[in-house]
Amino acid sequence: GGTTWKNIFNKLICPSCSQKSNTLDVLCNCTCVIIGWFGFQALLERFLPCELVQGAPIKGNEKENGRLWYRINGHLAFWVTLLITQVGWPVWNNNSGTSQQQLLQLTSAPIELLYDYYAELSFVTIVLCFMMSIYLYISSFFGGKNKILADGGISGNVVYDFFIG
């Protein structure tokens, strides 16, 4: 077998995949991991105790004195995440040798997988962030006067507004 474009693509996108594994399966698994991680962090941001602070003034936001409210609890979210990854990772274990009885045990997370799939996780993260940026940019055009946009992001230059606004 000579070198084909598919082999080159697989080596660039999924260098740790062996010939037996399917690149698409690995990328789908990495996508689920990144979306799960993002969702977990969003839940921590919403449900952990926080301090509410007002952000910088924004023109066009007459409510709330021209400022948005932000939840400040990232430090606590970091420690909760660290605790869960070190001692709170749920694993089903079959100690008795029978398939009927499985016990839920809490162990440390398999963080070696982050090293094994670093390139794939990075690729998926970049793609998902780019897709979210496109969604947010397009949604900024809808909603009329209810949208609060950054001053620098409404210049009329599409490229500039995409990155600044």
Side-chain angles (χ1 to χ4, degrees):
T3 303
T4 64
W5 285 107
K6 183 179 180 182
N7 290 341
I8 293 170
F9 178 76
N10 286 345
K11 286 181 183 177
L12 286 174
I13 299 302
C14 188
S16 63
C17 297
S18 67
Q19 297 298 332
K20 296 178 185 177
S21 68
N22 185 354
T23 305
L24 189 57
D25 289 342
V26 171
L27 291 177
C28 286
N29 289 339
C30 288
T31 302
C32 290
V33 166
I34 297 299
I35 290 173
W37 176 260
F38 187 82
F40 173 68
Q41 294 301 317
L43 287 173
L44 289 179
E45 186 267 336
R46 284 286 133 197
F47 293 112
L48 287 178
C50 69
E51 177 183 352
L52 289 174
V53 299
Q54 287 188 315
I58 299 176
K59 289 182 186 175
N61 183 16
E62 289 75 28
K63 301 183 278 183
E64 304 294 335
N65 203 15
R67 298 170 184 258
L68 297 176
W69 287 94
Y70 294 95
R71 299 174 57 86
I72 306 298
N73 61 0
H75 191 250
L76 180 59
F78 167 78
W79 288 109
V80 169
T81 301
L82 184 65
L83 180 68
I84 288 174
T85 57
Q86 291 305 306
V87 294
W89 194 261
V91 174
W92 288 100
N93 196 359
N94 187 2
N95 284 342
S96 64
T98 64
S99 60
Q100 272 80 25
Q101 186 178 13
Q102 290 189 348
L103 300 173
L104 180 63
Q105 292 183 331
L106 298 177
T107 64
S108 62
I111 59 173
E112 68 275 1
L113 294 176
L114 296 176
Y115 176 80
D116 294 341
Y117 294 101
Y118 181 78
E120 296 82 1
L121 290 167
S122 298
F123 174 75
V124 167
T125 302
I126 290 167
V127 169
L128 289 176
C129 288
F130 187 69
M131 288 171 44
M132 188 166 51
S133 296
I134 290 173
Y135 166 75
L136 291 171
Y137 178 72
I138 291 173
S139 70
S140 72
F141 294 105
F142 302 103
K145 296 184 179 190
N146 294 334
K147 291 284 184 177
I148 301 171
L149 304 174
D151 289 335
I154 50 175
S155 69
N157 182 331
V158 175
V159 175
Y160 183 82
D161 290 348
F162 178 80
F163 287 103
I164 301 300

